[in-house]
Amino acid sequence: MNLVCAQLVFAVTLWTAGAEAGIVAVCSGTSLLQAEQLSMEAEVRNSSDGSTFRVRRRRFISGKDMTALLDYHNRVRSQVFPPAANMEYMVWDERLAKSAEFWASQCIWEHGPHHFLQHIGQNLSIISGRYKSIIDLVKSWYDERHSFSYPSRCSGSVCTHYTQMVWAASNKIGCAIKKCSDIFVFGSMWKQATLLVCNYAIKGNWVGEAPYKIGRPCSACPSSYGGSCNKNQCDSRPKSRRNTNGFRGYKQ
């Protein structure tokens, strides 16, 4: 791992946004990481009833926060306007979560690692002070919709957090949360800050491209979904596994 860290070259663009319960800053990447290149240290296995998953390693994020983030993303994706014809249902990905954990552990307010960012999308948020819910750290991403005009126009300072959230083919997400005692943000040292890193696959935010196709929901789903639709999203999961959080019974 030391060799990898020594080879990192960081490219970062930073933006700020206000938050109700503290000072929040956000940062988004426009390219994504190749999950196949990550080492998977977690063992995920089905329980006897086929609906419960157990991850046998220490996490950087609670099951409650995982559920909240995944639910929020799928709710945002299902309610885009104009409506999407090819919006894919988003699921939690352990390899993306593992890569987010590695980067969050560095407590650096930049995108990274650079060589992973060739293949993954990444949204960052940081808050100094108390917050009621993990969603407080990502609401500003969604608020960027007010500056976004389909297919690819942005009238504000940034829209790429929002467009990454609703990029139709970005159907996997993995996030990590890290408490940083000291982290340098916008020219000053923040104390006891909470850093959120969310990684996405496949690659989104291609310059000049629309995040999704306009049309009747699920009318242009990839063929791999077999025409299956759930809450305005292409969803090939068996109906017995469809639920509000996307991974019922997920345990640490």
Side-chain angles (χ1 to χ4, degrees):
M1 189 64 71
N2 290 337
L3 178 59
V4 171
C5 293
Q7 294 175 338
L8 297 182
V9 178
F10 302 121
V12 59
T13 306
L14 304 174
W15 301 276
T16 58
E20 178 180 357
I23 302 173
V24 175
V26 294
C27 180
S28 80
T30 58
S31 51
L32 315 166
L33 126 19
Q34 192 170 8
E36 289 73 14
Q37 294 177 340
L38 299 175
S39 60
M40 178 68 172
E41 295 183 10
E43 177 184 344
V44 181
R45 58 185 176 84
N46 290 332
S47 68
S48 57
D49 66 1
S51 63
T52 303
F53 300 86
R54 295 180 177 87
V55 179
R56 302 177 64 180
R57 65 176 174 83
R58 183 174 175 273
R59 287 190 168 277
F60 274 49
I61 188 169
S62 69
K64 178 182 178 181
D65 286 343
M66 289 167 57
T67 300
L69 288 167
L70 186 57
D71 278 355
Y72 190 74
H73 276 76
N74 276 317
R75 186 163 63 251
V76 167
R77 291 166 69 84
S78 69
Q79 297 174 354
V80 293
F81 186 84
N86 63 331
M87 187 66 69
E88 299 181 37
Y89 184 84
M90 185 174 279
V91 298
W92 191 266
D93 186 89
E94 279 298 320
R95 290 178 293 187
L96 290 173
K98 186 64 179 175
S99 66
E101 288 179 6
F102 164 72
W103 190 241
S105 69
Q106 311 302 305
C107 282
I108 300 174
W109 181 237
E110 295 181 351
H111 286 297
H114 177 69
H115 59 285
F116 285 168
L117 292 176
Q118 298 175 52
H119 305 286
I120 66 161
Q122 186 177 82
N123 280 356
L124 307 181
S125 182
I126 191 167
I127 186 169
S128 176
R130 296 182 179 181
Y131 60 93
K132 294 181 180 179
S133 165
I134 191 63
I135 301 305
D136 292 343
L137 277 76
V138 300
K139 283 182 178 178
S140 60
W141 302 349
Y142 181 47
D143 287 343
E144 291 173 7
R145 74 190 187 282
H146 298 300
S147 301
F148 177 73
S149 298
Y150 190 91
S152 58
R153 182 174 177 269
C154 183
S155 60
S157 59
V158 62
C159 297
T160 50
H161 301 95
Y162 173 68
T163 53
Q164 178 59 84
M165 291 180 79
V166 300
W167 202 269
S170 295
N171 60 10
K172 295 182 177 64
I173 185 174
C175 303
I177 304 168
K178 175 66 176 177
K179 298 284 186 180
C180 300
S181 57
D182 296 288
I183 183 169
F184 199 68
V185 181
F186 304 125
S188 63
M189 186 63 71
W190 287 22
K191 301 287 187 179
Q192 303 303 320
T194 301
L195 174 65
L196 172 67
V197 178
C198 284
N199 287 343
Y200 303 82
I202 60 173
K203 189 175 184 176
N205 279 338
W206 289 95
V207 176
E209 291 191 13
Y212 57 85
K213 297 177 182 178
I214 291 179
R216 179 173 53 83
C218 301
S219 61
C221 291
S223 59
S224 58
Y225 286 91
S228 182
C229 185
N230 179 39
K231 297 179 179 178
N232 296 333
Q233 295 172 94
C234 311
D235 187 358
S236 61
R237 296 173 304 155
K239 291 184 178 180
S240 61
R241 293 185 60 189
R242 294 179 182 178
N243 51 80
T244 57
N245 61 33
F247 43 80
R248 181 186 60 184
Y250 214 115
K251 298 181 180 179
Q252 297 189 60

